[in-house]
Amino acid sequence: MTLFYMFKKIISKKNLEAAYLKIAQDMELDGRSYRYRGWDNWKLSDLELRSSEVLAEIQLELKEFKALVPAILLKIPKKSNPQKVREIYIYNLRERIKAQAIYQIIEPIFDQYFSPYLYSYRSSHASYFAARSVARHYKKYHQRDYVLIGDLSDYSNYIEHEKLREKIRILNLDKEVEKLLFLFIGNEVVRDGAITKPKVGLVQGVPLIALFNNLYLDDFDKYVGPKTDFYRRVGDDLIMFASDKERLLPLQQHLIEEADNLGLKINQEKSALHQPDEAFDFLGYHFFKGLISLPDNYQKALKLKWRQQFSYYYRRHEDSKKKYLQRVIHRDRQNLREQFDQLAEQKKFVNDEKQLRDLSESFFRILTRYFFKDYTPRNRRLLPAKLRKMGLTSVYKHFVNTRYDAFKGKN
Protein backbone atom coordinates (compact mmCIF):
# COMPACT_ATOMS: atom_id res chain seq x y z
CA MET A 1 0.00 0.00 0.00
CA THR A 2 1.13 3.60 -0.61
CA LEU A 3 2.02 5.63 2.45
CA PHE A 4 -0.88 8.03 1.95
CA TYR A 5 -3.26 5.12 1.49
CA MET A 6 -2.05 3.82 4.87
CA PHE A 7 -3.39 6.92 6.61
CA LYS A 8 -6.69 6.65 4.78
CA LYS A 9 -6.96 3.00 5.71
CA ILE A 10 -6.31 3.74 9.40
CA ILE A 11 -9.15 6.26 9.63
CA SER A 12 -11.55 4.31 7.40
CA LYS A 13 -14.94 3.36 8.81
CA LYS A 14 -14.23 -0.32 8.18
CA ASN A 15 -10.95 -0.22 10.14
CA LEU A 16 -12.48 1.68 13.04
CA GLU A 17 -15.33 -0.81 13.24
CA ALA A 18 -12.82 -3.68 13.29
CA ALA A 19 -10.87 -1.95 16.08
CA TYR A 20 -14.05 -1.46 18.10
CA LEU A 21 -15.06 -5.11 17.68
CA LYS A 22 -11.57 -6.32 18.65
CA ILE A 23 -11.64 -4.33 21.90
CA ALA A 24 -15.20 -5.46 22.65
CA GLN A 25 -14.24 -9.09 22.05
CA ASP A 26 -11.15 -8.87 24.27
CA MET A 27 -13.13 -7.28 27.09
CA GLU A 28 -15.85 -9.90 26.86
CA LEU A 29 -13.29 -12.69 27.07
CA ASP A 30 -11.63 -11.42 30.25
CA GLY A 31 -14.80 -10.11 31.90
CA ARG A 32 -14.02 -6.38 31.74
CA SER A 33 -16.87 -5.29 29.47
CA TYR A 34 -19.13 -4.21 32.35
CA ARG A 35 -16.52 -2.71 34.66
CA TYR A 36 -13.85 -1.04 32.49
CA ARG A 37 -14.26 2.71 32.38
CA GLY A 38 -11.88 5.59 31.76
CA TRP A 39 -11.93 9.23 32.81
CA ASP A 40 -15.17 9.85 30.90
CA ASN A 41 -16.80 7.09 33.01
CA TRP A 42 -18.02 5.29 29.88
CA LYS A 43 -18.34 1.52 29.88
CA LEU A 44 -18.49 -0.67 26.80
CA SER A 45 -22.27 -0.98 27.17
CA ASP A 46 -22.58 2.83 27.00
CA LEU A 47 -20.63 2.86 23.76
CA GLU A 48 -22.79 0.13 22.22
CA LEU A 49 -25.88 2.34 22.42
CA ARG A 50 -24.42 4.86 19.94
CA SER A 51 -21.42 3.11 18.41
CA SER A 52 -21.92 4.44 14.85
CA GLU A 53 -22.08 8.01 16.09
CA VAL A 54 -19.05 7.58 18.35
CA LEU A 55 -16.97 5.95 15.60
CA ALA A 56 -17.76 8.90 13.32
CA GLU A 57 -16.56 11.25 16.06
CA ILE A 58 -13.40 9.20 16.50
CA GLN A 59 -12.77 9.32 12.76
CA LEU A 60 -13.01 13.13 12.83
CA GLU A 61 -10.71 13.38 15.86
CA LEU A 62 -8.09 11.28 14.05
CA LYS A 63 -8.34 13.43 10.94
CA GLU A 64 -7.78 16.50 13.09
CA PHE A 65 -5.03 14.83 15.20
CA LYS A 66 -6.86 15.78 18.35
CA ALA A 67 -4.83 15.37 21.54
CA LEU A 68 -5.73 12.34 23.62
CA VAL A 69 -7.88 12.56 26.71
CA PRO A 70 -5.64 11.92 29.75
CA ALA A 71 -5.30 8.32 30.90
CA ILE A 72 -5.93 7.60 34.57
CA LEU A 73 -3.03 6.23 36.60
CA LEU A 74 -3.97 3.49 39.06
CA LYS A 75 -1.69 1.80 41.59
CA ILE A 76 -2.47 -1.80 42.51
CA PRO A 77 -0.59 -4.29 44.72
CA LYS A 78 1.69 -6.71 42.93
CA LYS A 79 0.59 -10.35 43.08
CA SER A 80 4.15 -11.50 43.74
CA ASN A 81 4.67 -8.91 46.49
CA PRO A 82 1.56 -7.17 47.87
CA GLN A 83 3.79 -4.74 49.77
CA LYS A 84 4.78 -3.19 46.44
CA VAL A 85 2.54 -1.62 43.80
CA ARG A 86 2.56 -1.53 40.05
CA GLU A 87 1.20 1.31 37.97
CA ILE A 88 -1.43 0.76 35.29
CA TYR A 89 -3.06 3.29 33.01
CA ILE A 90 -6.72 3.33 32.06
CA TYR A 91 -7.45 5.00 28.72
CA ASN A 92 -10.89 6.14 27.64
CA LEU A 93 -12.50 3.64 25.29
CA ARG A 94 -12.35 6.19 22.47
CA GLU A 95 -8.57 6.44 22.79
CA ARG A 96 -8.24 2.66 22.92
CA ILE A 97 -10.19 2.35 19.68
CA LYS A 98 -7.89 4.93 18.08
CA ALA A 99 -4.80 3.05 19.22
CA GLN A 100 -6.16 -0.30 18.02
CA ALA A 101 -7.12 1.17 14.64
CA ILE A 102 -3.60 2.51 14.14
CA TYR A 103 -1.96 -0.65 15.46
CA GLN A 104 -3.72 -3.13 13.21
CA ILE A 105 -2.59 -1.27 10.08
CA ILE A 106 1.00 -0.39 11.00
CA GLU A 107 1.95 -3.53 12.97
CA PRO A 108 3.07 -5.43 9.82
CA ILE A 109 5.31 -2.49 8.84
CA PHE A 110 7.02 -2.48 12.23
CA ASP A 111 7.26 -6.26 12.34
CA GLN A 112 9.01 -6.36 8.99
CA TYR A 113 11.50 -3.74 10.19
CA PHE A 114 12.36 -5.38 13.53
CA SER A 115 15.45 -7.56 13.91
CA PRO A 116 15.09 -11.37 13.75
CA TYR A 117 16.45 -11.54 17.31
CA LEU A 118 13.45 -9.82 18.90
CA TYR A 119 10.75 -12.06 20.40
CA SER A 120 8.20 -9.89 22.19
CA TYR A 121 4.72 -8.72 21.16
CA ARG A 122 5.22 -9.99 17.61
CA SER A 123 2.87 -12.29 15.76
CA SER A 124 5.82 -13.66 13.78
CA HIS A 125 8.19 -14.06 16.77
CA ALA A 126 6.28 -15.11 19.89
CA SER A 127 8.12 -15.16 23.23
CA TYR A 128 7.40 -18.90 23.41
CA PHE A 129 9.84 -19.45 20.53
CA ALA A 130 12.51 -17.41 22.33
CA ALA A 131 12.19 -19.62 25.40
CA ARG A 132 12.29 -22.74 23.25
CA SER A 133 15.40 -21.68 21.37
CA VAL A 134 17.18 -20.61 24.57
CA ALA A 135 16.38 -23.99 26.14
CA ARG A 136 17.66 -25.87 23.08
CA HIS A 137 20.87 -23.87 22.88
CA TYR A 138 21.55 -24.14 26.60
CA LYS A 139 21.07 -27.91 26.75
CA LYS A 140 23.43 -28.37 23.82
CA TYR A 141 26.17 -25.91 24.84
CA HIS A 142 25.87 -25.42 28.63
CA GLN A 143 29.34 -26.87 29.24
CA ARG A 144 30.93 -24.56 26.69
CA ASP A 145 29.16 -21.20 26.51
CA TYR A 146 29.49 -18.07 28.58
CA VAL A 147 26.17 -16.30 29.13
CA LEU A 148 25.46 -12.59 29.32
CA ILE A 149 22.10 -11.64 30.86
CA GLY A 150 20.77 -8.10 30.50
CA ASP A 151 17.75 -6.74 32.35
CA LEU A 152 16.44 -3.18 32.03
CA SER A 153 14.58 -1.70 34.99
CA ASP A 154 11.17 -0.08 34.31
CA TYR A 155 12.13 -0.04 30.64
CA SER A 156 9.04 1.70 29.26
CA ASN A 157 9.12 4.39 31.96
CA TYR A 158 12.56 5.65 30.90
CA ILE A 159 12.07 5.90 27.13
CA GLU A 160 12.94 9.41 25.94
CA HIS A 161 10.28 10.91 23.71
CA GLU A 162 12.36 12.70 21.11
CA LYS A 163 14.73 9.76 20.66
CA LEU A 164 11.72 7.50 20.07
CA ARG A 165 10.28 9.96 17.55
CA GLU A 166 13.59 9.95 15.69
CA LYS A 167 13.51 6.17 15.47
CA ILE A 168 9.95 6.30 14.12
CA ARG A 169 10.99 8.87 11.50
CA ILE A 170 13.61 6.44 10.20
CA LEU A 171 10.76 4.16 9.11
CA ASN A 172 9.80 6.80 6.50
CA LEU A 173 6.10 6.57 7.21
CA ASP A 174 3.65 9.07 5.84
CA LYS A 175 3.79 12.29 7.89
CA GLU A 176 0.10 11.93 8.70
CA VAL A 177 0.72 8.47 10.12
CA GLU A 178 3.68 9.78 12.12
CA LYS A 179 1.46 12.45 13.64
CA LEU A 180 -1.04 9.80 14.72
CA LEU A 181 1.73 7.78 16.37
CA PHE A 182 3.13 10.84 18.10
CA LEU A 183 -0.23 11.38 19.82
CA PHE A 184 0.71 8.41 22.01
CA ILE A 185 4.15 9.78 22.95
CA GLY A 186 4.17 12.26 25.82
CA ASN A 187 0.38 12.18 26.20
CA GLU A 188 -1.20 13.41 29.42
CA VAL A 189 -2.17 11.34 32.46
CA VAL A 190 -4.19 11.90 35.62
CA ARG A 191 -1.81 11.23 38.51
CA ASP A 192 -2.92 11.74 42.13
CA GLY A 193 -5.83 13.87 40.99
CA ALA A 194 -3.78 16.23 38.80
CA ILE A 195 -3.25 16.26 35.03
CA THR A 196 0.43 15.92 34.17
CA LYS A 197 2.46 15.37 31.03
CA PRO A 198 5.36 12.94 31.61
CA LYS A 199 8.67 14.23 30.30
CA VAL A 200 9.99 10.70 29.82
CA GLY A 201 8.38 7.28 29.60
CA LEU A 202 5.35 5.94 27.79
CA VAL A 203 1.77 5.74 28.96
CA GLN A 204 1.12 2.02 28.72
CA GLY A 205 -2.27 0.40 28.23
CA VAL A 206 -2.60 0.27 24.43
CA PRO A 207 -0.86 -2.07 21.93
CA LEU A 208 1.08 0.73 20.24
CA ILE A 209 3.32 0.96 23.30
CA ALA A 210 4.58 -2.58 22.67
CA LEU A 211 5.65 -1.53 19.17
CA PHE A 212 7.43 1.53 20.59
CA ASN A 213 9.19 -0.60 23.23
CA ASN A 214 10.38 -3.01 20.56
CA LEU A 215 11.59 -0.24 18.27
CA TYR A 216 13.57 1.63 20.94
CA LEU A 217 16.25 -1.08 21.20
CA ASP A 218 16.05 -2.35 17.63
CA ASP A 219 19.40 -0.86 16.61
CA PHE A 220 21.05 -2.62 19.55
CA ASP A 221 19.47 -5.95 18.52
CA LYS A 222 20.71 -5.61 14.96
CA TYR A 223 24.21 -4.70 16.11
CA VAL A 224 24.62 -7.42 18.74
CA GLY A 225 22.83 -10.36 17.08
CA PRO A 226 25.45 -11.17 14.39
CA LYS A 227 28.34 -10.77 16.86
CA THR A 228 27.35 -13.63 19.21
CA ASP A 229 26.77 -17.36 18.87
CA PHE A 230 23.20 -16.80 20.06
CA TYR A 231 21.13 -13.73 20.98
CA ARG A 232 17.51 -13.14 21.96
CA ARG A 233 15.59 -10.17 23.38
CA VAL A 234 12.14 -10.38 24.93
CA GLY A 235 10.97 -6.91 25.95
CA ASP A 236 13.43 -5.62 28.54
CA ASP A 237 15.19 -8.99 28.98
CA LEU A 238 18.05 -10.11 26.75
CA ILE A 239 20.47 -13.01 26.64
CA MET A 240 23.70 -13.73 24.73
CA PHE A 241 25.70 -16.97 24.46
CA ALA A 242 29.27 -17.24 23.18
CA SER A 243 31.98 -19.87 23.46
CA ASP A 244 34.60 -17.14 23.86
CA LYS A 245 34.22 -14.79 26.83
CA GLU A 246 36.19 -12.11 24.99
CA ARG A 247 33.40 -11.80 22.43
CA LEU A 248 30.87 -10.93 25.14
CA LEU A 249 32.92 -8.35 27.05
CA PRO A 250 32.70 -5.61 24.37
CA LEU A 251 29.01 -6.37 23.90
CA GLN A 252 28.44 -5.99 27.63
CA GLN A 253 30.14 -2.61 27.42
CA HIS A 254 28.06 -1.71 24.37
CA LEU A 255 24.89 -2.51 26.34
CA ILE A 256 26.00 -0.17 29.13
CA GLU A 257 26.80 2.61 26.65
CA GLU A 258 23.59 2.14 24.65
CA ALA A 259 21.47 2.14 27.80
CA ASP A 260 23.15 5.34 28.94
CA ASN A 261 22.64 6.94 25.52
CA LEU A 262 18.94 6.05 25.48
CA GLY A 263 18.32 7.00 29.10
CA LEU A 264 17.63 3.42 30.20
CA LYS A 265 18.55 1.85 33.54
CA ILE A 266 20.24 -1.54 33.81
CA ASN A 267 19.11 -3.76 36.67
CA GLN A 268 22.50 -4.62 38.15
CA GLU A 269 21.11 -7.43 40.33
CA LYS A 270 19.79 -9.36 37.35
CA SER A 271 22.40 -8.41 34.73
CA ALA A 272 25.69 -10.30 34.70
CA LEU A 273 28.20 -12.27 32.66
CA HIS A 274 28.10 -15.92 33.76
CA GLN A 275 30.67 -18.69 33.50
CA PRO A 276 29.54 -21.91 31.73
CA ASP A 277 29.01 -23.68 35.09
CA GLU A 278 27.15 -20.80 36.79
CA ALA A 279 23.40 -20.68 37.40
CA PHE A 280 21.18 -17.96 35.93
CA ASP A 281 17.49 -17.16 35.47
CA PHE A 282 15.82 -16.10 32.24
CA LEU A 283 12.21 -15.89 31.04
CA GLY A 284 10.87 -17.57 34.16
CA TYR A 285 13.29 -20.52 34.09
CA HIS A 286 16.31 -21.41 36.21
CA PHE A 287 19.35 -22.77 34.33
CA PHE A 288 22.12 -24.76 36.02
CA LYS A 289 24.42 -27.62 34.94
CA GLY A 290 22.33 -28.50 31.92
CA LEU A 291 19.06 -28.61 33.85
CA ILE A 292 16.17 -26.23 33.31
CA SER A 293 14.12 -25.77 36.46
CA LEU A 294 11.43 -23.67 38.09
CA PRO A 295 12.85 -20.58 39.85
CA ASP A 296 12.66 -20.60 43.65
CA ASN A 297 10.23 -17.68 43.82
CA TYR A 298 7.85 -19.44 41.41
CA GLN A 299 7.86 -22.59 43.53
CA LYS A 300 7.30 -20.61 46.73
CA ALA A 301 4.34 -18.76 45.20
CA LEU A 302 2.84 -22.04 43.98
CA LYS A 303 3.19 -23.74 47.36
CA LEU A 304 1.73 -20.70 49.14
CA LYS A 305 -1.28 -20.82 46.82
CA TRP A 306 -1.81 -24.51 47.61
CA ARG A 307 -1.47 -23.95 51.37
CA GLN A 308 -4.04 -21.17 51.25
CA GLN A 309 -6.35 -23.29 49.12
CA PHE A 310 -6.14 -26.32 51.42
CA SER A 311 -5.92 -24.98 54.94
CA TYR A 312 -7.24 -27.38 57.60
CA TYR A 313 -8.46 -24.39 59.67
CA TYR A 314 -11.38 -23.69 57.35
CA ARG A 315 -12.87 -27.18 57.30
CA ARG A 316 -12.76 -29.30 60.43
CA HIS A 317 -14.84 -32.31 59.39
CA GLU A 318 -13.49 -34.93 57.02
CA ASP A 319 -16.67 -35.10 54.91
CA SER A 320 -16.59 -31.37 54.25
CA LYS A 321 -12.90 -31.58 53.40
CA LYS A 322 -13.53 -34.33 50.86
CA LYS A 323 -16.46 -32.47 49.33
CA TYR A 324 -14.40 -29.30 49.00
CA LEU A 325 -11.50 -31.18 47.40
CA GLN A 326 -13.94 -32.81 44.97
CA ARG A 327 -15.25 -29.38 43.99
CA VAL A 328 -11.74 -28.02 43.46
CA ILE A 329 -10.83 -31.01 41.29
CA HIS A 330 -13.98 -30.99 39.14
CA ARG A 331 -15.35 -27.44 39.13
CA ASP A 332 -15.94 -25.77 35.75
CA ARG A 333 -13.19 -23.13 35.94
CA GLN A 334 -9.71 -23.10 37.49
CA ASN A 335 -9.99 -26.66 38.77
CA LEU A 336 -6.86 -28.52 39.84
CA ARG A 337 -6.50 -30.19 36.46
CA GLU A 338 -6.48 -26.78 34.78
CA GLN A 339 -3.97 -25.48 37.32
CA PHE A 340 -1.65 -28.39 36.60
CA ASP A 341 -2.24 -27.95 32.85
CA GLN A 342 -1.16 -24.31 33.16
CA LEU A 343 1.97 -25.34 35.03
CA ALA A 344 2.87 -27.84 32.30
CA GLU A 345 2.03 -25.40 29.50
CA GLN A 346 3.72 -22.30 30.94
CA LYS A 347 6.82 -24.19 32.07
CA LYS A 348 7.00 -26.76 29.31
CA PHE A 349 10.79 -26.59 28.93
CA VAL A 350 11.54 -27.70 32.49
CA ASN A 351 13.58 -30.91 32.40
CA ASP A 352 14.58 -31.12 36.07
CA GLU A 353 12.71 -34.32 36.86
CA LYS A 354 13.81 -34.42 40.50
CA GLN A 355 12.49 -30.92 41.12
CA LEU A 356 9.14 -31.84 39.62
CA ARG A 357 8.93 -34.95 41.80
CA ASP A 358 9.76 -32.84 44.87
CA LEU A 359 7.16 -30.25 43.91
CA SER A 360 4.60 -33.00 43.43
CA GLU A 361 5.40 -34.39 46.88
CA SER A 362 5.10 -30.90 48.38
CA PHE A 363 1.53 -30.78 47.10
CA PHE A 364 0.75 -34.10 48.80
CA ARG A 365 2.38 -32.91 52.03
CA ILE A 366 -0.03 -29.97 51.98
CA LEU A 367 -2.98 -32.32 51.40
CA THR A 368 -1.72 -34.52 54.24
CA ARG A 369 -1.85 -31.58 56.62
CA TYR A 370 -5.23 -30.63 55.18
CA PHE A 371 -6.74 -33.99 56.13
CA PHE A 372 -4.72 -34.90 59.23
CA LYS A 373 -3.69 -31.47 60.58
CA ASP A 374 -0.12 -32.71 61.11
CA TYR A 375 2.33 -34.19 58.62
CA THR A 376 3.92 -37.49 59.61
CA PRO A 377 5.21 -40.34 57.43
CA ARG A 378 2.32 -42.46 58.66
CA ASN A 379 -0.27 -39.81 57.76
CA ARG A 380 1.34 -39.50 54.35
CA ARG A 381 0.94 -43.25 53.82
CA LEU A 382 -2.73 -42.98 54.79
CA LEU A 383 -3.42 -40.10 52.38
CA PRO A 384 -4.05 -42.24 49.22
CA ALA A 385 -7.04 -43.82 50.95
CA LYS A 386 -8.55 -40.35 51.39
CA LEU A 387 -7.98 -39.53 47.72
CA ARG A 388 -9.28 -42.81 46.32
CA LYS A 389 -11.84 -42.43 43.49
CA MET A 390 -11.35 -38.65 43.34
CA GLY A 391 -9.50 -38.78 40.02
CA LEU A 392 -6.56 -36.73 41.28
CA THR A 393 -3.30 -37.15 39.36
CA SER A 394 -0.01 -36.05 40.92
CA VAL A 395 1.63 -32.87 39.68
CA TYR A 396 4.55 -34.91 38.38
CA LYS A 397 2.47 -37.47 36.49
CA HIS A 398 0.25 -34.75 35.12
CA PHE A 399 3.29 -32.87 33.85
CA VAL A 400 4.77 -35.97 32.22
CA ASN A 401 1.46 -37.00 30.65
CA THR A 402 0.74 -33.58 29.19
CA ARG A 403 4.27 -32.45 28.35
CA TYR A 404 5.93 -35.79 27.61
CA ASP A 405 8.13 -34.28 24.92
CA ALA A 406 9.94 -32.25 27.59
CA PHE A 407 11.58 -35.47 28.76
CA LYS A 408 12.37 -36.73 25.26
CA GLY A 409 14.41 -33.77 24.15
CA LYS A 410 11.84 -32.70 21.55
CA ASN A 411 11.38 -29.22 22.93
Side-chain angles (χ1 to χ4, degrees):
M1 72 178 72
T2 65
L3 292 177
F4 179 70
Y5 179 69
M6 188 187 302
F7 174 72
K8 291 181 66 176
K9 191 168 184 179
I10 288 172
I11 66 172
S12 69
K13 180 181 177 182
K14 180 179 180 181
N15 187 52
L16 292 173
E17 289 175 346
Y20 163 66
L21 292 174
K22 177 68 167 64
I23 290 172
Q25 182 183 42
D26 290 346
M27 287 189 170
E28 288 288 349
L29 288 174
D30 62 17
R32 289 180 296 150
S33 59
Y34 292 100
R35 55 186 171 85
Y36 183 99
R37 59 181 79 197
W39 194 24
D40 60 4
N41 210 34
W42 275 38
K43 295 186 293 185
L44 188 62
S45 56
D46 300 322
L47 189 62
E48 290 171 350
L49 298 174
R50 49 189 292 256
S51 58
S52 296
E53 179 184 348
V54 171
L55 291 179
E57 293 170 358
I58 290 173
Q59 184 182 52
L60 181 61
E61 290 176 2
L62 289 173
K63 286 180 179 179
E64 296 177 348
F65 308 103
K66 183 179 177 180
L68 304 181
V69 174
I72 301 174
L73 172 65
L74 298 180
K75 298 179 181 180
I76 62 175
K78 290 185 175 181
K79 288 184 178 180
S80 59
N81 187 352
Q83 303 303 318
K84 296 183 179 181
V85 298
R86 67 184 183 95
E87 297 183 344
I88 63 171
Y89 294 95
I90 306 297
Y91 281 82
N92 281 4
L93 285 168
R94 288 169 176 259
E95 318 305 347
R96 292 196 61 182
I97 293 171
K98 293 176 186 177
Q100 180 62 37
I102 299 168
Y103 175 83
Q104 55 199 24
I105 300 301
I106 69 163
E107 188 272 338
I109 306 298
F110 276 69
D111 189 70
Q112 187 176 17
Y113 181 80
F114 291 146
S115 87
Y117 308 101
L118 172 68
Y119 285 77
S120 53
Y121 304 107
R122 299 179 68 183
S123 57
S124 61
H125 291 62
S127 58
Y128 160 80
F129 295 111
R132 184 179 68 178
S133 59
V134 169
R136 283 176 169 172
H137 187 93
Y138 176 75
K139 286 190 289 186
K140 188 173 183 179
Y141 298 108
H142 67 91
Q143 294 180 317
R144 182 199 74 177
D145 278 3
Y146 294 83
V147 183
L148 176 62
I149 300 290
D151 183 280
L152 299 165
S153 301
D154 295 326
Y155 174 55
S156 187
N157 291 332
Y158 287 109
I159 288 178
E160 297 184 8
H161 299 162
E162 188 51 39
K163 288 179 180 177
L164 175 59
R165 292 189 190 99
E166 284 301 318
K167 291 179 180 294
I168 291 174
R169 291 186 182 106
I170 293 173
L171 297 175
N172 292 319
L173 300 171
D174 176 69
K175 295 302 179 184
E176 309 294 325
V177 176
E178 280 187 4
K179 289 174 70 175
L180 291 180
L181 294 175
F182 291 172
L183 292 175
F184 291 86
I185 302 174
N187 46 309
E188 294 179 334
V189 299
V190 179
R191 178 188 290 268
D192 299 326
I195 298 177
T196 63
K197 194 168 186 177
K199 294 182 179 179
V200 296
L202 302 177
V203 181
Q204 302 181 66
V206 292
L208 285 176
I209 304 306
L211 293 183
F212 295 161
N213 287 341
N214 283 346
L215 181 64
Y216 203 60
L217 270 177
D218 185 70
D219 290 338
F220 177 83
D221 297 334
K222 290 173 178 174
Y223 175 83
V224 169
K227 297 182 182 296
T228 64
D229 291 333
F230 182 97
Y231 172 68
R232 293 290 184 270
R233 178 167 71 92
V234 181
D236 53 8
D237 297 309
L238 55 91
I239 188 168
M240 306 177 206
F241 290 87
S243 57
D244 184 357
K245 181 180 179 180
E246 298 304 315
R247 292 175 61 194
L248 292 180
L249 290 174
L251 298 179
Q252 184 179 33
Q253 182 61 32
H254 184 68
L255 172 62
I256 295 170
E257 293 171 356
E258 186 72 358
D260 183 65
N261 176 56
L262 295 174
L264 302 174
K265 310 295 180 183
I266 296 177
N267 186 333
Q268 299 297 339
E269 292 183 1
K270 297 182 179 180
S271 302
L273 179 57
H274 298 274
Q275 302 288 330
D277 58 350
E278 284 185 327
F280 64 90
D281 290 349
F282 189 69
L283 295 183
Y285 292 95
H286 180 74
F287 298 80
F288 184 54
K289 292 187 176 180
L291 291 178
I292 303 171
S293 312
L294 300 171
D296 287 342
N297 61 348
Y298 184 91
Q299 290 189 84
K300 289 177 182 178
L302 200 55
K303 293 174 186 178
L304 176 61
K305 179 180 178 180
W306 289 337
R307 285 195 295 269
Q308 292 172 340
Q309 195 170 19
F310 300 106
S311 172
Y312 68 85
Y313 288 109
Y314 297 140
R315 293 166 184 83
R316 302 276 180 173
H317 301 291
E318 182 171 324
D319 286 346
S320 65
K321 289 182 178 182
K322 285 185 176 181
K323 289 177 181 178
Y324 173 71
L325 180 56
Q326 284 278 18
R327 288 199 301 271
V328 174
I329 293 173
H330 299 291
R331 63 192 176 193
D332 292 336
R333 297 185 63 185
Q334 277 301 299
N335 59 54
L336 274 179
R337 287 194 183 93
E338 289 181 356
Q339 291 179 33
F340 296 167
D341 275 338
Q342 289 174 6
L343 170 62
E345 183 64 26
Q346 294 172 4
K347 303 298 179 181
K348 63 181 64 178
F349 303 119
V350 169
N351 66 351
D352 188 342
E353 191 169 345
K354 181 181 181 304
Q355 184 196 58
L356 289 170
R357 288 183 182 276
D358 290 344
L359 181 64
S360 186
E361 183 57 29
S362 294
F363 176 73
F364 285 123
R365 291 175 72 95
I366 291 168
L367 285 187
T368 301
R369 291 191 181 96
Y370 173 69
F371 278 107
F372 298 96
K373 187 176 178 179
D374 295 314
Y375 178 87
T376 66
R378 180 178 183 275
N379 288 342
R380 174 65 180 91
R381 290 194 298 271
L382 293 174
L383 180 65
K386 305 285 187 184
L387 304 180
R388 192 171 292 126
K389 297 182 181 180
M390 286 194 179
L392 180 61
T393 306
S394 73
V395 177
Y396 173 75
K397 287 183 178 179
H398 198 90
F399 191 97
V400 173
N401 290 340
T402 56
R403 304 307 311 164
Y404 185 72
D405 57 342
F407 296 101
K408 290 298 183 180
K410 297 177 181 179
N411 56 341

